[in-house]
Amino acid sequence: PSRCAVISVDYRLAPEHRFPAALEDAERAVRWILDHAAELGIDQARTGVGGDSAGGNLAAVMALLARDGELPPLAFQLLFYPVCDLKMSHPSYISSAEGYLLTKASMAYFIESYLQHPDQADDWRASPLRASSHAGLAPAFILTAGYDPLCDEGIDYASQLAAAGGEVEHLHVPGQIHGILTASAIVTEADGLIARAGQFLRNHVSPSNNSPEAG
């Protein structure tokens, strides 16, 4: 186990609440948690963000905001098959367009429901892959699955972070689909992947004291 205190954050959802409502809620939540770390019994210096799919998108944006000084520093980011580029331009949108749970058509619907205008897909706060720089970000664990429309943008994001000098552990699972971590009841490989993420936390979060870190 990672021995982390985990705080699950809710946020406003599209289409009732479109971009940037979700990231504004995430930013407020991260700031509140870090400002109240002592009350929550967690170590602010060992606090990070994480999420899967759309949650991975928000986590990546929070790490960019922290890098830019808009939030306090973060110790890590866990990105599980994250949405990194709302332009839907990577080849895996063709190779895994349908037949593997998450489809290209579903992603097009989600993105249309989320953005107020298609041009917002170029905004790095919606598409973190499109940030002008990926240097100076918190250490990242990035999981990608081979049969996933989001596969190539996740691989690209891991490569961009590494090329910018960041600490990145990229775990690619070529024979799996989007959403594998929540399918451990039927996919035995999922437990091992979760264990790898926990190991990343143990390896990259400095045990400065005995209080738990937050994820």
Side-chain angles (χ1 to χ4, degrees):
S2 64
R3 298 183 61 206
C4 285
V6 178
I7 300 173
S8 180
V9 173
D10 200 2
Y11 53 87
R12 287 171 291 171
L13 300 176
E16 293 81 5
H17 305 283
R18 294 176 179 260
F19 176 84
L23 75 88
E24 289 174 347
D25 290 351
E27 182 179 356
R28 292 189 190 101
V30 171
R31 182 175 289 108
W32 188 92
I33 290 165
L34 293 170
D35 288 345
H36 295 82
E39 298 170 43
L40 297 170
I42 62 176
D43 183 353
Q44 184 188 70
R46 295 192 289 153
T47 300
V49 292
D52 73 305
S53 197
N57 172 281
L58 294 175
V61 173
M62 294 306 105
L64 285 160
L65 290 173
R67 187 274 311 274
D68 293 342
E70 299 297 322
L71 287 171
L74 295 170
F76 61 85
Q77 51 179 323
L78 300 175
L79 311 179
F80 304 120
Y81 25 82
V83 179
C84 298
D85 187 358
L86 300 190
K87 297 292 283 188
M88 297 180 62
S89 59
H90 286 77
S92 54
Y93 268 104
I94 298 173
S95 60
S96 298
E98 57 184 21
Y100 304 110
L101 188 63
L102 181 65
T103 67
K104 179 180 180 180
S106 294
M107 282 302 303
Y109 170 76
F110 296 149
I111 292 169
E112 182 181 2
S113 298
Y114 180 52
L115 299 179
Q116 298 183 53
H117 189 278
D119 288 348
Q120 290 178 324
D122 290 310
D123 189 327
W124 64 267
R125 300 174 305 156
S127 299
L129 184 60
R130 296 180 177 269
S132 59
S133 170
H134 294 99
L137 294 171
F141 178 93
I142 300 177
L143 174 68
T144 55
Y147 294 109
D148 179 359
L150 307 180
C151 174
D152 287 345
E153 64 196 74
I155 292 173
D156 198 1
Y157 198 65
S159 297
Q160 289 290 330
L161 268 61
E167 236 181 303
V168 182
E169 181 176 341
H170 175 211
L171 178 58
H172 180 65
V173 191
Q176 289 297 346
I177 65 172
H178 189 86
I180 180 179
L181 296 185
T182 54
S184 59
I186 56 174
V187 181
T188 56
E189 191 173 2
D191 287 338
L193 299 176
I194 294 170
R196 283 284 297 275
Q199 185 64 52
F200 170 86
L201 293 181
R202 289 193 295 275
N203 291 344
H204 291 78
V205 179
S206 175
S208 58
N209 57 43
N210 292 325
S211 63
E213 58 268 25

